[in-house]
Amino acid sequence: MQIGIIGTGYVGLVTAVGLAELGHEVTGTDIVADKIDKASQGIAHIYEPGLEDLLKKNLQRGNLRFDHDLDKTIQSSDVLFVCVSTPQREDGSADMTYVEGVSRRIAENLNKYKLVVEKSTVPVRTSTWVKKTIDLYKKGDVEFDVASNPEFLREGSAIHDFMHPDRIVVGVETERARDMLVEIYQAYEDRILVTNIDTAELIKHASNSFLAMKISFINLLADLCERTEAEIESVARGMGLDERIGSQFLKAGVGYGGSCFPKDVRALIKIGEDLGVNMDLLRDVDKINLDRIAIVLEKLKKALWILKDKKIAVLGLAFKPETDDIRNAPSIAIIQALLGEGACVTLYDPQAAENIKAVIPENPPSVVYTRTALEALKGANAALLVTEWDEFKTLDLKKAHEIMDNPILIDGRNVFSPKKVRELGIEYASVGRK
Ligand code: UDX
């Protein structure tokens, strides 16, 4: 089977490399020439642990290649994984322009039977449109199938997630499509869940929204803890020990970000409302998450009263550790709010600074990027930890105390032990803890 990957963004590139690693013949294509040029040379355009090694390995092995020519890639493939982006529109719905465009191109190049697999996160019922579009534009009487195979990988551990999936969801309408996908994922035979296409599409949105709900739930409880003697980490542990609840995704903090959760929650709200379903539950999940920005700012104000002309060091800019991705990163809204208050910010992240610069350009003295965390802390009136990179866990807090103008630390991810930090004479606030 020749596999074509259309769109080599985050999901597409990892899928291409992962499927090649499983031993398949894979060709990746993208409209952004630079991504293809880089991938062909073994360079990943995103920072993802382990990705480049596997990319190089499979390029050398000869079963992975990249091609600028979309038409050629479609024609030579038996299976096409559609991994193009489905960005959020103003009303929260997913913009399906790219998926529609790719469906037309597939139709125009339908030279033999093909299985078209939706890998991008798409609203339930998308496959019906993909099918109709291919039918509308195809020239001859060539057969094809559409299937849904949502991707559940997390950034920062994408390769690990691809190679060790909890489940492979395969939404199909025909036996032929099912057999092809089961063959592709033979290595995970014991974890394949076969459903109809609507179900597979919904599983993806449902999973991400449920996880987002867990995070908003724990953040809501953190607000409660801050007003009582309860401690959020023990509350989370106590809840998580119940196997029905599970301990994961119960870490309180400055809220969820990334390319999936905020977008998928809003997309599911829109889908539900369009179908006449009351989606208030998820509206609140979104609202609780957005409220985190004001709550963290309040903590700074509680420590400094007025933020105007204060120098605030922001540690961690990526939406989570081990990635340079800044899409919907809480840091962006926090920095914008700080600048809105007239504060100056010194910004540090081990990987994501270059990406953030495109959104919040360097503009001294208001916005300064530094090469180390300590450099950001020098002369700061307060520090705000937004992303829990490992290197912050071993930050020299004694040194931080010495070089900051005011030793105030707001820990947005509960990285430090309150007792240890306070013993050093640092004023400290975290999330849902005393
Ligand atoms: C998520 C899903 O986990 C993945 O299955 C899907 O394919 C894509 O979306 P990702 O966006 O890479 O993956 O990151 P994830 O690790 O899930 O974290 C999302 C956000 O939630 C981050 O901003 C993280 O900081 C936050 N988070 C996560 C919390 O605030 N608390 C937690 O307990 C867990």
Side-chain angles (χ1 to χ4, degrees):
M1 257 188 282
Q2 292 290 331
I3 298 177
I5 308 288
I6 304 177
T8 54
Y10 226 111
V11 167
L13 188 57
V14 174
T15 304
V17 169
L19 289 176
E21 181 66 12
L22 291 181
H24 299 298
E25 290 290 325
V26 183
T27 305
T29 183
D30 200 292
I31 45 166
V32 182
D34 186 50
K35 286 185 188 168
I36 295 304
D37 291 338
K38 281 198 170 118
S40 307
Q41 294 163 44
I43 304 166
H45 65 89
I46 44 171
Y47 170 75
E48 183 64 39
L51 178 60
E52 255 183 27
D53 290 347
L54 284 193
L55 173 63
K56 288 195 177 87
K57 179 181 151 192
N58 285 285
L59 283 169
Q60 267 166 19
R61 205 158 65 164
N63 61 325
L64 174 62
R65 58 200 79 77
F66 293 88
D67 199 315
H68 295 282
D69 193 335
L70 173 61
D71 296 333
K72 197 176 103 198
T73 305
I74 295 172
Q75 287 165 21
S76 60
S77 299
D78 305 300
V79 185
L80 290 157
F81 282 86
V82 180
C83 303
V84 296
S85 61
T86 52
Q88 186 185 308
R89 290 196 305 195
E90 290 255 311
D91 64 357
S93 64
D95 182 347
M96 302 305 290
T97 318
Y98 300 125
V99 176
E100 193 267 352
V102 164
S103 307
R104 263 188 290 141
R105 285 289 277 275
I106 292 173
E108 285 156 11
N109 289 286
L110 203 66
N111 54 340
K112 57 179 178 183
Y113 170 87
K114 290 182 201 305
L115 172 60
V116 180
V117 186
E118 306 164 351
K119 195 82 172 154
S120 316
T121 302
V122 294
V124 59
R125 308 244 57 157
T126 296
S127 70
T128 316
W129 282 108
V130 170
K131 240 170 84 179
K132 173 142 196 231
T133 306
I134 298 178
D135 268 329
L136 271 177
Y137 293 95
K138 72 174 187 178
K139 285 168 198 133
D141 191 21
V142 188
E143 277 184 63
F144 68 96
D145 275 310
V146 176
S148 165
N149 169 225
E151 185 49 65
F152 299 102
L153 53 85
R154 291 163 301 173
E155 293 182 20
S157 54
I159 292 294
H160 175 272
D161 291 350
F162 191 95
M163 293 315 206
H164 305 91
D166 290 336
R167 77 291 206 196
I168 300 284
V169 175
V170 163
V172 286
E173 280 180 329
T174 66
E175 273 184 30
R176 187 175 189 178
R178 187 198 60 199
D179 291 348
M180 286 172 88
L181 279 163
V182 167
E183 192 183 327
I184 289 171
Y185 288 113
Q186 211 172 22
Y188 312 120
E189 210 176 2
D190 53 332
R191 277 158 282 177
I192 299 178
L193 173 68
V194 180
T195 68
N196 65 32
I197 303 186
D198 276 7
T199 305
E201 288 169 341
L202 194 56
I203 286 172
K204 170 70 189 189
H205 267 127
S207 301
N208 278 353
S209 297
F210 192 86
L211 292 171
M213 182 175 74
K214 275 185 105 173
I215 299 170
S216 279
F217 188 87
I218 205 70
N219 282 331
L220 186 69
L221 287 180
D223 292 346
L224 263 172
C225 287
E226 287 176 14
R227 289 162 181 78
T228 63
E229 291 304 310
E231 294 282 344
I232 194 62
E233 282 167 340
S234 302
V235 172
R237 206 170 307 124
M239 288 170 61
L241 285 170
D242 184 331
E243 278 179 15
R244 293 169 304 174
I245 297 173
S247 58
Q248 293 191 51
F249 280 71
L250 287 179
K251 270 200 233 100
V254 291
Y256 59 77
S259 62
C260 290
F261 287 179
K263 177 169 95 79
D264 290 357
V265 167
R266 289 175 203 148
L268 189 53
I269 292 172
K270 187 74 178 53
I271 295 164
E273 287 179 346
D274 286 350
L275 295 170
V277 178
N278 180 334
M279 301 301 283
D280 283 353
L281 174 65
L282 290 183
R283 281 202 175 281
D284 284 340
V285 167
D286 190 29
K287 182 169 183 312
I288 292 165
N289 195 55
L290 293 173
D291 286 347
R292 296 306 103 191
I293 308 303
I295 288 171
V296 82
L297 236 65
E298 272 313 305
K299 287 178 182 158
L300 266 179
K301 285 184 185 165
K302 220 170 148 188
L304 284 170
W305 189 15
I306 300 295
L307 299 181
K308 188 168 181 337
D309 296 333
K310 300 287 159 57
K311 186 171 157 182
I312 312 295
V314 180
L315 304 183
L317 307 169
F319 84 95
K320 68 173 195 178
E322 296 301 332
T323 176
D324 62 354
D325 196 338
I326 56 148
R327 284 176 288 176
N328 282 305
S331 66
I332 297 175
I334 291 170
I335 295 164
Q336 282 165 345
L338 287 171
L339 295 173
E341 294 272 346
C344 299
V345 289
T346 47
L347 311 175
Y348 171 71
D349 188 280
Q351 291 292 341
E354 284 312 311
N355 286 342
I356 285 267
K357 275 183 195 167
V359 188
I360 302 169
E362 179 131 38
N363 179 26
S366 301
V367 182
V368 174
Y369 286 87
T370 66
R371 276 164 301 138
T372 65
L374 286 177
E375 210 184 308
L377 293 173
K378 202 159 175 252
N381 298 104
L384 176 54
L385 190 147
V386 179
T387 316
E388 67 278 32
W389 284 94
D390 271 345
E391 69 167 78
F392 298 147
K393 295 177 185 161
T394 52
L395 188 69
D396 186 347
L397 288 174
K398 224 165 137 197
K399 182 92 185 151
H401 182 280
E402 276 166 39
I403 60 174
M404 289 177 78
D405 269 12
N406 305 117
I408 297 170
L409 173 58
I410 311 295
D411 180 354
R413 296 288 183 182
N414 292 347
V415 163
F416 301 106
S417 140
K419 188 163 167 274
K420 281 193 188 145
V421 179
R422 290 194 185 112
E423 272 168 8
L424 294 168
I426 296 174
E427 188 176 331
Y428 181 75
S430 51
V431 185
R433 310 188 301 177
K434 293 288 146 348

